[in-house]
Amino acid sequence: MSEVTDLTVIEIKAEQAPALYKSGGLDDYLEQIRQAVNEVPDLSTKKGRDRVASLAASVSRSKTAIEKPGREYLKRLKEAVRPAEAEIKRFVDACDELRDATRRPLTEWEAEQERIAAEKAAEEERLRIEAEEKAAAEVLKKQRESDHEMALLMNDAFDREVEEKKAEAERQRVAHEEELKRQAAEQAKREAEEKAAAELAAAKKREEDAIAARAQAELLAKQERERAEYAAAAAAARAEREKQEAIEAEKRKAQEEADRIKREAEAKEAARLAEEKRIADEKTAREADVKHRKAVGTEIVNALTANTSISREQAIEVLKAMMDGLVPRTQINY
């Protein structure tokens, strides 16, 4: 392809695109176009000006012939990327679901272990309180047995004492039993209060543990929601970005097409005007030539009639014979 006009009929096949549409891949074509227009026509002549317009139009045609398949190749590349992005997103979402499903038994086990630990602590507290209550009951029982034995010993002594001390002994016994009852009531009251306090503390701890477990579950749920919201926001942002990129690409394509159509229209208009001017110039030249030939013919006819005895009609016939080349060795110089 030695001329630019050859480039306008180039047909670039799909398998050639990867090798051409890359950095420096079109340098050979660009150099060919430069070489093809590497001339300096004479702008003072119509032919030179027409040549400049033709060269510029040839560059535009060559550019379009190479640009159009390149744009189609670029479009195919963008379409090829979209399935990869969709597949990556599907893979990431599936992995997130698989990760959550894989860890769910551990999460449930950890929650169960926390519940068991809370129940175990409550049970240990209950057993401790029961052990303390049992030990206190044993102490009270031993105290009562000791008091009873003491009372028996005192009764034996009282039998040997005088009758007047029996009333005093009876009073002391009654008073002692009343004191024991009071102490037992106070002990029972303290034990009941302690048991109630322990049960309240255990209930409070169970409630706190339940609140903590619920808070942990809510935190995990919140984290999952945030991850899902983040993924959804990222997907929406990516979709919006792709949409805007597609819109911008279509805008650029439309603008480029409009520019191309405008350039072609301008080139066609320039060619049309140049052709009209050429036709007008040729018409003017023809009219001037006809006028000049008429003047020369008139001059010859006048000379023949003036210098010979022939009539004007005969002079015109001689002129026509000379114009038709019928008179040897004669030539009219216009």
Side-chain angles (χ1 to χ4, degrees):
M1 293 178 294
S2 60
E3 297 182 1
V4 167
T5 53
D6 293 337
L7 294 176
T8 61
V9 296
I10 288 177
E11 184 177 345
I12 296 177
K13 298 181 179 179
E15 58 268 20
Q16 294 176 300
L20 291 177
Y21 300 106
K22 64 179 184 178
S23 179
L26 298 175
D27 285 349
D28 290 343
Y29 289 111
L30 188 58
E31 183 61 25
Q32 280 186 323
I33 295 173
R34 286 198 182 101
Q35 293 298 324
V37 298
N38 188 22
E39 57 181 274
V40 184
D42 185 2
L43 295 178
S44 64
T45 65
K46 181 180 181 302
K47 181 178 180 181
R49 294 191 293 274
D50 291 345
R51 179 57 177 166
V52 171
S54 176
L55 290 174
S58 296
V59 173
S60 295
R61 290 193 297 271
S62 301
K63 183 208 70 169
T64 302
I66 296 175
E67 179 188 21
K68 184 176 180 181
R71 294 295 180 187
E72 293 176 353
Y73 172 63
L74 182 60
K75 181 179 180 182
R76 290 196 300 273
L77 288 180
K78 290 181 178 180
E79 291 175 350
V81 170
R82 291 193 180 93
E85 290 183 347
E87 180 62 12
I88 290 173
K89 181 181 182 302
R90 186 188 69 81
F91 173 78
V92 170
D93 292 344
C95 285
D96 288 344
E97 292 178 1
L98 181 59
R99 176 201 62 203
D100 295 341
T102 302
R103 199 187 188 287
R104 188 173 295 112
L106 175 58
T107 302
E108 294 174 352
W109 181 86
E110 290 174 345
E112 179 65 15
Q113 293 304 309
E114 291 178 358
R115 185 189 65 76
I116 292 173
E119 291 182 353
K120 182 178 180 182
E123 180 64 17
E124 290 177 351
E125 181 66 16
R126 186 184 65 78
L127 293 176
R128 183 187 67 78
I129 293 172
E130 289 182 355
E132 290 178 354
E133 291 176 350
K134 184 176 180 181
E138 289 293 331
V139 170
L140 181 60
K141 180 180 178 181
K142 289 180 180 181
Q143 181 65 38
R144 287 176 177 174
E145 290 176 352
S146 175
D147 291 342
H148 183 65
E149 290 177 357
M150 180 64 70
L152 291 177
L153 291 174
M154 289 176 66
N155 287 335
D156 292 340
F158 288 160
D159 289 341
R160 294 189 299 270
E161 293 179 355
V162 292
E163 188 64 28
E164 62 270 15
K165 291 183 179 180
K166 287 183 178 181
E168 181 63 22
E170 181 63 18
R171 186 188 63 75
Q172 290 181 0
R173 184 185 67 77
V174 172
H176 182 66
E177 288 181 355
E178 290 296 328
E179 179 64 20
L180 291 177
K181 290 179 180 180
R182 186 187 65 78
Q183 293 179 357
E186 290 181 354
Q187 179 68 23
K189 181 180 178 181
R190 285 196 300 273
E191 292 174 354
E193 290 176 350
E194 291 175 354
K195 183 176 182 181
E199 291 178 352
L200 180 61
K204 184 178 180 181
K205 189 175 187 307
R206 287 194 298 271
E207 182 180 1
E208 291 174 349
D209 292 340
I211 291 172
R214 186 165 59 251
Q216 179 68 17
E218 291 175 353
L219 177 60
L220 292 175
K222 181 181 179 182
Q223 291 174 347
E224 289 298 322
R225 286 196 305 273
E226 289 176 350
R227 282 195 291 269
E229 291 172 357
Y230 176 79
R238 184 166 57 250
E240 180 64 21
R241 184 174 63 256
E242 291 176 353
K243 176 183 175 183
Q244 292 301 322
E245 288 176 354
I247 292 173
E248 291 300 325
E250 289 300 323
K251 286 182 178 178
R252 288 194 299 272
K253 183 178 179 181
Q255 184 61 44
E256 290 171 356
E257 182 65 15
D259 292 342
R260 182 189 66 77
I261 293 172
K262 180 180 178 182
R263 288 192 298 271
E264 290 183 354
E266 290 174 349
K268 289 180 179 179
E269 180 63 15
R272 185 186 66 79
L273 293 175
E275 180 64 17
E276 288 180 354
K277 188 175 184 304
R278 182 187 65 78
I279 293 171
D281 291 344
E282 289 180 353
K283 181 180 179 182
T284 300
R286 284 196 304 271
E287 290 175 352
D289 184 64
V290 169
K291 183 177 181 181
H292 175 68
R293 288 175 180 271
K294 284 183 178 181
V296 172
T298 300
E299 184 180 354
I300 293 173
V301 169
N302 291 337
L304 288 173
T305 58
N307 297 300
T308 66
S309 60
I310 62 176
S311 65
R312 183 173 181 81
E313 288 76 12
Q314 290 173 336
I316 291 173
E317 290 180 0
V318 171
L319 175 62
K320 288 182 178 180
M322 293 174 65
M323 291 174 61
D324 293 339
L326 299 176
V327 181
R329 300 183 183 278
T330 61
Q331 181 178 1
I332 301 174
N333 295 319
Y334 290 102

